Amino acid sequence: MRPGLALAERVHERLSREDLISLVVFYPALLLVVLALTWQGTSGPAGVWTPLAHARGIALALLGLGYGVGLAQEAVNDRRATAIALVIIALLGLPVELAALAASFAPVPLAWILALTPLTVLGFMGMGQILGALLATLRVRALAPVVVPAALAGTLFLDISLGVNLLSPFHAATTPSTPHLVVLMAASLWLLLSMWRGSSR
Amino acid sequence: MARILASLILLLSAACGFAQREQATVELGHSGVLVADAWNPLRLVVRDLPGASLEVAFDQGTLRTGEIPGTYTVSLPGSGGVHVFEDDLYVPRFTSLVWRVRQGDVVVASGAVDPRMVSDEPLLLIAGDGPSGLPTGEELPGRLVHVHPAQLPGRAAAYDPVLAVLVDSGATSADPAALAAAAAAGSIVTAMPGALEASEGLALLFSGSVQRVGSGYFATLDEAQGVAAQLRALAAVPEEESLQRRIGTAVARAISIDSGATVPLMPLLTIGAVYILVSYLLTRFGGPIGVFSALILAAGASFLAFAHLRPPAPVAVANTRVLIGAGGLGTEYSYFTAISYSGEPVTLDRAAAPATPVPYRGTPDALEARLPRWSELAFEGKPTLATPLLTWRDDSPQLRGNDPVYVVGEDGPAGGDGAPPAPALIQAVAREVPAGTALAVSGGTVHVALPAGGP
């Protein structure tokens, strides 16, 4: 089998597993529920974008960090398949995101949304991989379910204390930020390089 | 010798300083009296200041809201000599008003108006050449302001803050066109019998005791009955707001922009649920091709959602004109309703006043206002004189054109035989005008022909 087809097969196989196939439904459904609840609020369609963008940013960051922490335990091929599957899940939520962005006429560039969605998953997955390695070194992997949301909260507090949107997906959801984009791209690159190095070994 | 030279230099500098002060003069309001929340006359005279500009800056904010700036800017021609510029400026309630005449970066003249000196009480203009012959000690309606008859402006907007104009005895230089503009704009224009005897032109204007012109009146006074008492009777308007303001509020409500979404929520949720189900089935059971198809579906759905749910333009503006006329004269009022979906500035191609304080930049013929996202705001355009197209002739309303005409009765507006039911805009205006008023909608303009008779 050609390598590309084999990877596609592996991605499909990974997506069909119980954890990720649930996310194929849950993630867009979560966004749809947020859209419905805020649409009926006092602001109407005008107010749908900000809560949805925050929900999207937090959900994708948690998914990225969570799966990133566990990457070390997977085989190299599975790592790639998991990363691509998570990006596909993130992209499946795009129609709901763009519906909210269009209906609210939020002052956020379309290109920022299109770039941020896959980069948030990949970038936080890369950060999660580093976090997983740290937990493994400290022999406290059992604390991963607690450390992942704590790390996300840490990004929020760090950005607030620095006054710059560097790591927090919460702030980046509504305001484009070059430092955040650079951090996400660097973390994504780190993830891809680590996978490439893993396969070459 | 040195002392003489020093004295000469001192004299020359003083003379230059005097000339500098006289290079630009600005007069705001009638004889310098401003009325808040109204269009006020502005007169700017500059001498030998090519390329000069005037900026009037307001702060409409309060302690609670903070600063809400509003500016009015006008650029004068680049040639030298004397330039006289007259316009009407909307003066909101302000906490500070500063004006500056600039030539390049140099401020040539400047001034300020104390907000405590400004109120929203309308004016009673006494147009006379000399001291007024009005009896003192009597209570007159409005704030009394004396103006020279020749200084009465000929623009409708200048009379927005004017309740009544009284032409005093001997005021022969009053321009009949200016008085007609005052009446057309809604003021009560009266004249002392002495003034009518002295000027044939004025006598022609005041043909009856009370005559409706535009949305105001021409009325003659009988000195035997007491001038102040008659003025109070004429100015006794039961409502707080003027007729044109009440019509404006009604029109703004009627032309409110539907800011709702282009697609209702329930169909959107149904489509979303079907999309999630289809993408699940494709991903779960379609193999690698199914995953690819789900991505194609996501791309197509994203494009459709973005294209169909986005409002057609970042800013929406609705505009309706109302032409109020009677006695062959009328005034056109423009009412705008604007909504900024994206927070972009709202630009209007004529001078206008926002109904509530927002930051704005105005010029003699345009306005740019900053509105919060998705908030709707009404604007009132600067009133202008116009020839009424709907008039009363032999107790019958006549409209140029074929649109149906409605006459306001006790049961609301009624059209003639075969006329369709009155549109919402006519019904909205009909609630604000006196019975017997004729109304019509033609080419985006509501025509109002008020009935004859006194206030």
Side-chain angles (χ1 to χ4, degrees), chain B residues 198-278:
Chain B
S199 168
E200 196 179 335
L202 289 182
L204 284 171
L205 286 177
F206 297 84
S207 54
S209 60
V210 178
Q211 178 194 356
R212 195 190 285 272
V213 172
S215 44
Y217 301 93
F218 277 121
T220 47
L221 296 176
D222 183 358
E223 272 182 307
Q225 292 182 17
V227 172
Q230 286 177 79
L231 277 175
R232 280 201 306 273
L234 283 168
V237 184
E239 292 83 4
E240 279 188 6
E241 284 188 308
S242 64
L243 176 71
Q244 50 271 34
R245 283 273 148 81
R246 282 182 286 127
I247 289 177
T249 309
V251 168
R253 219 174 285 137
I255 62 170
S256 176
I257 298 168
D258 179 19
S259 61
T262 47
V263 175
L265 180 60
M266 279 319 289
L268 191 67
L269 289 182
T270 310
I271 294 168
V274 170
Y275 162 75
I276 291 171
L277 180 67
V278 172

Side-chain angles (χ1 to χ4, degrees), chain B residues 94-111:
Chain B
F94 59 87
T95 49
S96 77
L97 190 164
V98 180
W99 61 262
R100 294 179 200 89
V101 178
R102 292 175 190 270
Q103 190 184 33
D105 293 334
V106 180
V107 175
V108 181
S110 62

Side-chain angles (χ1 to χ4, degrees), chain B residues 2 20 24 28 65 96 103 105 129 239 253 293 305 314 328 339 347 375 392 399 426:
Chain B
Q20 192 81 355
L28 282 168
T65 61
S96 77
Q103 190 184 33
D105 293 334
D129 294 323
E239 292 83 4
R253 219 174 285 137
S293 305
I339 184 165
T347 306
S375 72
W392 284 99
L399 175 71
I426 290 281

Side-chain angles (χ1 to χ4, degrees), chain B residues 388-407:
Chain B
L389 302 182
L390 176 63
T391 50
W392 284 99
R393 211 167 288 162
D394 302 329
D395 293 334
S396 162
Q398 306 283 325
L399 175 71
R400 282 186 219 167
N402 298 322
D403 297 288
V405 177
Y406 301 86
V407 177

Side-chain angles (χ1 to χ4, degrees), chain A residues 12 39 46 92 95 102-105, chain B residues 261 275 280 283 287 302 310-311 373-374:
Chain A
H12 171 251
W39 195 293
L92 289 179
S104 70
F105 222 119
Chain B
Y275 162 75
Y280 165 73
T283 313
S302 299
R310 199 167 175 83
R373 281 184 63 230
W374 284 79

Side-chain angles (χ1 to χ4, degrees), chain B residues 82-147:
Chain B
V82 176
H83 290 289
V84 180
F85 174 80
E86 290 183 328
D87 193 15
D88 301 300
L89 168 72
Y90 186 80
V91 176
R93 285 172 197 278
F94 59 87
T95 49
S96 77
L97 190 164
V98 180
W99 61 262
R100 294 179 200 89
V101 178
R102 292 175 190 270
Q103 190 184 33
D105 293 334
V106 180
V107 175
V108 181
S110 62
V113 178
D114 186 345
R116 290 170 299 182
M117 302 300 287
V118 178
S119 81
D120 57 2
E121 190 186 0
L123 307 178
L124 169 60
L125 297 187
I126 310 288
D129 294 323
S132 170
L134 278 173
T136 52
E138 289 193 63
E139 192 190 337
L140 290 163
R143 266 191 296 166
L144 208 63
V145 175
H146 289 268
V147 291

Side-chain angles (χ1 to χ4, degrees), chain A residues 8-9 12 15-16 21 24-25 28-29 32 35-36 39-40 45-46 88 91-92 94-95 98-99 101-107 110, chain B residues 261 263 265 268-269 272-273 275-276 279-280 283-284 287-288 291 294-295 298 301-302 305-306 309-311 313-314 341-342 373-374:
Chain A
E9 195 65 53
H12 171 251
L15 266 174
S16 301
I21 198 66
V24 166
V25 176
L32 202 61
L35 178 89
W39 195 293
Q40 288 180 313
I88 288 170
L91 293 176
L92 289 179
L94 213 51
L98 293 192
L101 181 72
S104 70
F105 222 119
L110 178 63
Chain B
V263 175
L265 180 60
L268 191 67
L269 289 182
Y275 162 75
I276 291 171
S279 52
Y280 165 73
T283 313
R284 179 71 182 84
V291 174
L295 283 175
S302 299
F306 196 75
L309 289 174
R310 199 167 175 83
Y341 298 109
S342 62
R373 281 184 63 230
W374 284 79

